[in-house]
Amino acid sequence: MAAELNGKRILILATNGFEQSELEVPRDRLKAAGAEVHVVSPEQGEIKGWDKKDWGRAVKVDKALSDAKAADYDAIVLPGGQMNPDLLRADKDAVALIKAFYDAGKTVAAICHAPWLLIEAGIAKGKKMTSYSSIKTDVINAGALWEDSEVVTDNGLITSRKPGDLEAFSKKIIEEVREGKHERQAA
């Protein structure tokens, strides 16, 4: 498994309040598969996670959002938690970066509340998706075809429900990145 993603670069977009495991588990699995993984944020230095019911550990920011370009990466991973995607969906640069990954046919992976970012980027309509149960109505109202599954993939667009689904979510990201670019209609 260690060489599956050699030469691949993955961007994890997050800010303060990301769900701890939803950033750390995919990051660690992708690195173990050989990918170069960068945590990108509008914040400098480090960002602090949310671990279940309280503040968690800090994670080092590798690159500023203002310096990140979809062209430099093979995939983008969007951790959830309530705060992280809610803050990022109000950031026009974060939303534009997500849309750039999608429009380039690259893997876009969102878990838990992070499908809010897909909605904000205008890429949910007509797509098969899942999410944390509390935002199911938001996803459906955005025109997505919501289903209650551990992981849902629609042409390189990966969504997952919750931290308990992280292993399957991480495996699917590895599989989709290995497949390469996806032909899709621009949103």
Side-chain angles (χ1 to χ4, degrees), residues 23-93:
L23 185 149
E24 291 177 343
V25 172
R27 177 199 64 197
D28 296 349
R29 298 300 180 272
L30 293 164
K31 282 183 176 182
E36 181 181 344
V37 181
H38 293 157
V39 174
V40 171
S41 179
E43 309 302 321
Q44 304 281 325
E46 45 183 45
I47 51 176
K48 195 152 191 167
W50 186 261
D51 198 1
K52 298 176 186 73
K53 296 189 184 293
D54 203 351
W55 289 103
R57 296 172 298 284
V59 169
K60 180 181 169 287
V61 172
D62 299 304
K63 186 180 276 195
L65 173 59
S66 58
D67 296 330
K69 294 173 184 39
D72 296 339
Y73 296 92
D74 298 287
I76 188 169
V77 177
L78 307 169
Q82 290 176 317
M83 290 176 270
N84 177 61
D86 196 37
L87 291 168
L88 288 173
R89 70 182 172 162
D91 185 318
K92 64 179 179 32
D93 295 330

Side-chain angles (χ1 to χ4, degrees), residues 41-157:
S41 179
E43 309 302 321
Q44 304 281 325
E46 45 183 45
I47 51 176
K48 195 152 191 167
W50 186 261
D51 198 1
K52 298 176 186 73
K53 296 189 184 293
D54 203 351
W55 289 103
R57 296 172 298 284
V59 169
K60 180 181 169 287
V61 172
D62 299 304
K63 186 180 276 195
L65 173 59
S66 58
D67 296 330
K69 294 173 184 39
D72 296 339
Y73 296 92
D74 298 287
I76 188 169
V77 177
L78 307 169
Q82 290 176 317
M83 290 176 270
N84 177 61
D86 196 37
L87 291 168
L88 288 173
R89 70 182 172 162
D91 185 318
K92 64 179 179 32
D93 295 330
V95 173
L97 182 64
I98 295 163
K99 184 152 177 20
F101 270 90
Y102 182 82
D103 288 348
K106 297 180 180 195
T107 299
V108 175
I111 187 167
C112 189
H113 288 74
W116 269 340
L117 292 163
L118 305 178
I119 292 167
E120 197 64 36
I123 57 180
K125 188 174 185 175
K127 302 295 180 284
K128 291 187 294 186
M129 291 174 55
T130 194
S131 66
Y132 194 70
S133 59
S134 69
I135 68 164
K136 171 184 175 180
T137 301
D138 298 342
V139 174
I140 292 169
N141 286 344
L145 309 169
W146 192 90
E147 58 183 75
D148 187 15
S149 298
E150 187 175 53
V151 176
V152 174
T153 306
D154 189 331
N155 204 14
L157 180 67

